[in-house]
Amino acid sequence: MDFSDLIQTVLIYALPVLFAITVHEAAHGYAARHFGDNTAHMLGRITLNPLKHIDPIGTILMPVMLYFATSGAFLFGYAKPVPVRFDHLRNPKRDMIWVSLAGPASNFFQAIFWAVLLVVLVGTGVQERFFVEMARAGILVNLVMWAFNLFPLPPLDGGRILVGLLPWRIGQQVARIEPFGFFIVLALVLFGIVGSLWLRPLMSLGYSAIDLLLTPLLALLR
């Protein structure tokens, strides 16, 4: 990929990625406030300002380095997690599930939004490649974040959902993995286990669900 193609790719993905990260983290904070924890609200993290959620290393440096190191074959990154005091929630075990689910759910709804935009652009004859590719990137980025964050291992959202669903004693044992969970997940990603056994099947399901949801709109624009 030459430099001009790289710049175009960055511009196509920039807006979808910023929205995907920002809305995901803000959704966690909003859900936490709804269920009784004002920590994120007091720290100004319930906001659509991406600067509040970007981690210089995890959101910028790591993905860029991995992109060049692997020629775009492998990307990984993270944002600054929204602080949530689960012990401040009105019903910590139950509400933990909803707070954790809020982030991935926001990404799935954003994927639907970008899919609607893509259908409308194509259906109305818009041929501008930049906007069409941005809409496709928005679907892809958000489905990746939705599926990846649902992986059932703390500190990912799916791991916290699992802790909330399990009986208390077993859930506490799973929660003890959290300090090492990031490194375990990273190793599973590097060995292709997360991609082949989790991301691809779940994303395929996500694409199928979106296709089904957009069937009436597709019929209308034909």
Side-chain angles (χ1 to χ4, degrees):
M1 181 180 290
D2 60 33
F3 187 71
S4 62
D5 288 337
L6 174 62
I7 294 299
Q8 187 173 44
T9 300
V10 169
L11 291 175
I12 286 171
Y13 276 86
L15 193 62
V17 168
L18 283 176
F19 270 111
I21 291 171
T22 301
V23 177
H24 178 104
E25 296 300 335
H28 282 312
Y30 178 81
R33 184 178 66 177
H34 177 77
F35 288 106
D37 175 36
N38 286 318
T39 306
H41 175 67
M42 290 187 294
L43 294 174
R45 294 296 303 278
I46 305 179
T47 175
L48 294 181
N49 178 3
L51 296 178
K52 293 285 188 177
H53 305 293
I54 289 174
D55 182 280
I57 295 175
T59 314
I60 301 172
L61 184 60
M62 181 184 289
V64 169
M65 289 178 63
L66 286 172
Y67 183 89
F68 284 109
T70 65
S71 300
F74 175 72
L75 287 178
F76 185 80
Y78 55 88
K80 284 192 290 188
V82 164
V84 177
R85 290 285 305 272
F86 291 108
D87 57 317
H88 287 186
L89 300 173
R90 286 188 288 273
N91 187 327
K93 186 169 173 56
R94 181 199 66 197
D95 297 343
M96 174 196 300
I97 297 170
W98 294 111
V99 173
S100 301
L101 190 60
S106 75
N107 290 122
F108 193 79
F109 283 116
Q110 286 182 82
I112 294 173
F113 165 80
W114 287 108
V116 169
L117 179 61
L118 177 61
V119 169
V120 171
L121 288 173
V122 174
T124 55
V126 174
Q127 300 295 325
E128 177 55 53
R129 177 178 174 269
F130 180 81
F131 295 114
V132 171
E133 291 301 318
M134 181 182 287
R136 289 193 175 121
I139 301 169
L140 175 63
V141 165
N142 279 285
L143 283 183
V144 168
M145 284 192 66
W146 166 72
F148 182 74
N149 279 284
L150 285 178
F151 189 74
L153 189 71
L156 296 178
D157 298 323
R160 290 174 174 162
I161 293 169
L162 179 63
V163 170
L165 291 172
L166 289 171
W168 188 85
R169 184 171 295 179
I170 301 174
Q172 289 304 301
Q173 292 176 350
V174 174
R176 292 194 187 102
I177 299 173
E178 184 155 341
F180 320 101
F182 174 80
F183 302 103
I184 297 172
V185 171
L186 185 57
L188 293 173
V189 169
L190 289 172
F191 283 107
I193 296 171
V194 171
S196 60
L197 299 181
W198 183 263
L199 273 183
R200 287 176 194 149
L202 204 57
M203 286 181 65
S204 178
L205 181 64
Y207 274 113
S208 297
I210 290 174
D211 285 342
L212 183 62
L213 288 170
L214 295 189
T215 299
L217 180 61
L218 288 166
L220 185 64
L221 290 174
R222 280 174 184 161

